[in-house]
Amino acid sequence: MNRYLIKNNIKLMYRSWGNILLFVIMPVILIFCLSSAFETLMSKYEETEMTAGYRIEGDGITPEMIEAMNAVAEENDITLSEYPTGDPEDLMHENSLTGFIIFKDDTYTVYEESSAKGRALEYFVNAFYENAAATAMGVKTDAATLTVEHPEYKESIDSKDYYGIVEIVYFGWCAIFAGAGILINEKKYKIRKRYQVANLTPIKEYMSKFIPIAIVASIGTVIAALLTVVLLGVHWGNPLISIIVLVASVAAATAMGIMIYSITDSMVGTIIVTFTVVWIAGFYGGAFETYIFSSHPMSVKLMSPIYHINRALTELSCMGRSDYVGSAVGYAGLIVAASSIIAILFGQIRKRGRA
């Protein structure tokens, strides 16, 4: 009986093929628009060359030393420009300088931004002065260089990859829309009465909806993800783990959608409530404003299942691994379990009301 119902419900879904097509095509269109719109915003955080200004006051530094310093700075991707006059802070602001150095008789002053680049500039000047002093004393030294270390950090992701992933997830949470054919035809053709005559249990009735919707919505979501790879060149990281996270996400969305329908007993009500819940979860989960740059409290982000899923998939894309894979799949599993129990209970209550 279950196998027959699942097969029949899949056929009902494909009668509303337009819903499924929109489910696949719409996220790709939205990804193209958002990735283009936010490309500049996300690219401005990329590393750029360090620029700084300097001024000589006094006779403590010679032209030869300045020439040598400029050569060493160039080797370390630092561009130095001389500004004979002007307030250092104003010059930094007007010329987008990382810092400003004033050389006096036997001392120097470094004006810097409150950033790692400013600290690196201060280190560079200090290292150069130490080498210059040692050379003046006849001590042989190596050329002044910056010591660059690469500690573990979270790599950045561009707008195309970010929105190419999170919008697929967001639309996947609207999985119940792909199953509209089942729910609408159920009422239209009075299929519930047939279930009642067949003495179908609420669990079997629930599974006859959950399994086909989850299968079709998962296939549609994976196809949409493949389209982002082919058409937009989106990088999904580890394909197997990414698919597991995506399918778990769609399963959770399906269970939640059926639960809402079981409570409201209205497709219109289900669409309204589902859209509201998914929009809020997506808002705090980074589906619109990137979770990387958003100012929402971490405690609020962690309440959204979409945040865990988005973070797991985006980190898989840019780093090849993520500590959020477990929480993403686990959170989705809890939603499936809780939503299924509630949907079955309401199905049982409704069945008793019809008896």
Side-chain angles (χ1 to χ4, degrees), residues 1-124:
M1 175 65 76
N2 269 355
R3 192 177 303 172
Y4 169 77
L5 288 174
I6 291 169
K7 182 179 178 181
N8 186 61
N9 281 338
I10 289 177
K11 289 181 179 178
L12 287 175
M13 290 176 69
Y14 277 105
R15 286 183 182 177
S16 304
W17 60 269
N19 291 343
I20 300 173
L21 186 62
L22 286 174
F23 189 76
V24 174
I25 299 299
M26 285 304 294
V28 179
I29 296 174
L30 187 60
I31 288 163
F32 180 80
C33 295
L34 288 176
S35 62
S36 299
F38 289 98
E39 183 177 4
T40 303
L41 173 66
M42 297 185 73
S43 64
K44 77 177 184 179
Y45 291 91
E46 295 176 357
E47 188 69 18
T48 57
E49 184 179 332
M50 191 187 305
T51 58
Y54 71 90
R55 179 183 307 149
I56 302 173
E57 297 179 356
D59 301 324
I61 185 168
T62 65
E64 290 77 16
M65 292 174 65
I66 288 294
E67 184 179 350
M69 184 179 67
N70 279 314
V72 175
E74 187 175 348
E75 292 175 3
N76 288 280
D77 296 324
I78 302 174
T79 300
L80 295 177
S81 301
E82 185 175 7
Y83 294 88
T85 60
D87 181 76
E89 294 184 359
D90 291 341
L91 290 170
M92 288 172 58
H93 178 72
E94 293 169 2
N95 299 281
S96 300
L97 301 176
T98 301
F100 198 93
I101 315 160
I102 295 181
F103 297 101
K104 295 188 178 180
D105 292 332
D106 56 353
T107 62
Y108 65 89
T109 302
V110 178
Y111 295 83
E112 63 185 42
E113 294 179 340
S114 180
S115 66
K117 287 184 180 180
R119 301 296 181 186
L121 178 64
E122 184 177 354
Y123 174 83
F124 167 78

Side-chain angles (χ1 to χ4, degrees), residues 9-21 23 171-172 174-187 208-218 250 253-254 257-258 261 267 270-271:
N9 281 338
I10 289 177
K11 289 181 179 178
L12 287 175
M13 290 176 69
Y14 277 105
R15 286 183 182 177
S16 304
W17 60 269
N19 291 343
I20 300 173
L21 186 62
F23 189 76
F171 272 84
C174 300
I176 195 64
F177 299 163
I182 295 177
L183 305 178
I184 292 173
N185 286 312
E186 186 180 72
K187 281 191 172 183
S208 70
K209 298 172 187 174
F210 173 77
I211 293 175
I213 295 174
I215 289 174
V216 173
S218 294
V250 171
T254 302
I258 296 175
Y261 181 77
M267 192 61 207
T270 299
I271 290 173

